[in-house]
Amino acid sequence: MVDYRLATAEDAAAIGALHVASWRETYTGLLPQEMLASLSVDSRAAMWTTVLAAPARPDGTRVYVAESAGEVVGFGACGGQRDEAMRERGFAGEFGAIYILRSQQGAGTGRALMTLMARDLEARSMRSAGLWVLRENVGARGFYEGLGGTIIIEKEVADGDTTLNEVAYGWPDLACLT
């Protein structure tokens, strides 16, 4: 049984740990091993503490957690669109993060989080949204396409000595997710 709720600042440590674990599960073979090894639970927890403690704003980030047996097994974050190119294309909202432990994937946890986030954005008058995903992350891309997301644009992002290729998916009408 999985329960869903809005995250609080007290969830930051669990979200940070899940964020690092999920990156290592998902991106092994897609990102340089040095990059994955350098991930820090403490720094991710600090980042999520800052996000969760930020004052509420109409376009601010909201984070939802999925819990099973008292443990956070997934989370998603949504808010106003931060990417100018996506805003120019009419995507007011953004799914800034969605991470599910591999052991929970395929059980509907990701779909439930996407539905919660879509409802949240709609309630804040953001009727469209997009997200960025690594081009090589075929599992996530299949998930987004299965939810009706369509490719909007692509870009290259430099991260140290690594160039990442990212694809933006968009939902022009979030009603399809709710």
Side-chain angles (χ1 to χ4, degrees), residues 56-118:
R57 294 186 354 242
D59 66 344
T61 300
R62 291 197 185 141
V63 182
Y64 290 87
V65 292
E67 292 180 310
S68 180
E71 299 292 321
V72 174
V73 297
F75 75 94
C78 63
Q81 183 59 249
R82 297 173 295 171
D83 186 270
E84 184 178 343
M86 290 296 282
R87 278 194 311 272
E88 289 172 354
R89 287 166 173 79
F91 295 93
E94 178 179 69
F95 300 113
I98 182 164
Y99 292 101
I100 314 296
L101 290 177
R102 183 167 287 147
S103 64
Q104 299 295 311
Q105 292 176 6
T109 304
R111 175 178 284 278
L113 283 169
M114 289 291 285
T115 297
L116 278 172
M117 292 188 293

